[in-house]
Amino acid sequence: MQTSDADLLLVIDVQNDFCPDGALAVAEGDAVVPVINRLAARFAHIVLTQDWHPRGHSSFASSHPGSAPFETIDMPYGRQTLWPDHCIQGTPGAAFHPRLLAERAELIVRKGFRPPIDSYSAFYENDRRTPTGLAGYLGERGLRRIFLAGLATDYCVHYSAVDARRLGFEAIVIEAGCRAIDLAGSLDAAWAAMAAAGVQRIGDLA
């Protein structure tokens, strides 16, 4: 598949806490780094997202006495998985992986910084209504085809890709550049939801 100057590489949450030994480690999460670095050389435009939680964020299990990580609870905006404390603002865990070549990124979108609501998608908070502003940025720049890679396939990559389609962008997930949490079948469910939304799935860019 050929890329053009109108395409974007959207790199999702390649942060230390999602890599081995991190607070919310994704299996082989660091394996995406060399793949994304290779892919980045093919794109004129790159945007990074960064999970950026304040301490005591409402999505942390530690904020709900008696709850454990990976349980789900009802929040005002819907069902919410509770996570270990992770990607806390200004901590090493929230930093991008040290081998990620981030210098060419034209924009960093921080998400999850509002204490009462979590944010998986690069485009919306988990209420599905509060925008990050990324869609407007891409629209003004005329970028309409989005290639996605990063962590994790079944959460932030999935929600970002589906929202991209909902907003009228073409969305292509590069599987070689992603890794999943796969919590109780979440990976299969995510691929099904992405396919239903019209997200394209490719193994890699040759």
Side-chain angles (χ1 to χ4, degrees):
M1 183 178 290
Q2 295 296 315
T3 60
S4 76
D5 286 350
D7 293 336
L8 174 79
L9 179 62
L10 180 58
V11 178
I12 304 292
D13 296 358
V14 182
Q15 296 167 255
N16 290 326
D17 268 347
F18 296 128
C19 292
D21 299 321
L24 182 49
V26 177
E28 300 182 345
D30 56 346
V32 307
V33 174
V35 177
I36 290 170
N37 289 344
R38 169 174 55 80
L39 293 170
R42 300 187 55 167
F43 287 84
H45 308 289
I46 301 167
V47 168
L48 309 179
T49 69
Q50 187 175 24
D51 230 22
W52 197 248
H53 296 305
R55 295 187 186 277
H57 192 270
S58 63
S59 69
F60 295 166
S62 61
S63 297
H64 303 271
S67 296
F70 309 112
E71 292 181 356
T72 58
I73 64 169
D74 288 314
M75 299 285 275
Y77 52 85
R79 297 291 287 172
Q80 171 68 49
T81 299
L82 296 178
W83 304 108
D85 292 21
H86 67 281
C87 294
I88 294 171
Q89 297 170 2
T91 65
F96 293 117
H97 189 282
R99 292 196 298 276
L100 181 70
L101 299 180
E103 292 80 6
R104 288 186 50 240
E106 298 171 343
L107 180 71
I108 295 172
V109 177
R110 286 177 166 169
K111 57 191 182 65
F113 55 80
R114 294 178 174 88
I117 186 168
D118 204 5
S119 183
Y120 298 155
S121 171
F123 294 95
Y124 289 102
E125 306 280 20
N126 281 7
D127 63 1
R128 324 303 302 136
R129 294 187 304 273
T130 304
T132 66
L134 179 58
Y137 173 87
L138 298 181
E140 284 195 354
R141 299 199 59 197
L143 303 174
R144 303 301 305 173
R145 187 165 71 158
I146 302 172
F147 291 78
L148 299 97
L151 305 171
T153 316
D154 40 345
Y155 285 92
C156 297
V157 173
H158 158 213
Y159 279 80
S160 297
V162 169
D163 280 346
R165 292 293 302 135
R166 180 159 68 105
L167 290 161
F169 297 96
E170 187 175 351
I172 303 160
V173 173
I174 304 171
E175 194 168 2
C178 301
R179 292 295 186 275
I181 295 174
D182 201 11
L183 184 64
S186 58
L187 180 58
D188 285 344
W191 283 124
M194 286 189 277
V199 175
Q200 297 177 57
R201 174 182 179 181
I202 63 174
D204 203 347
L205 284 178

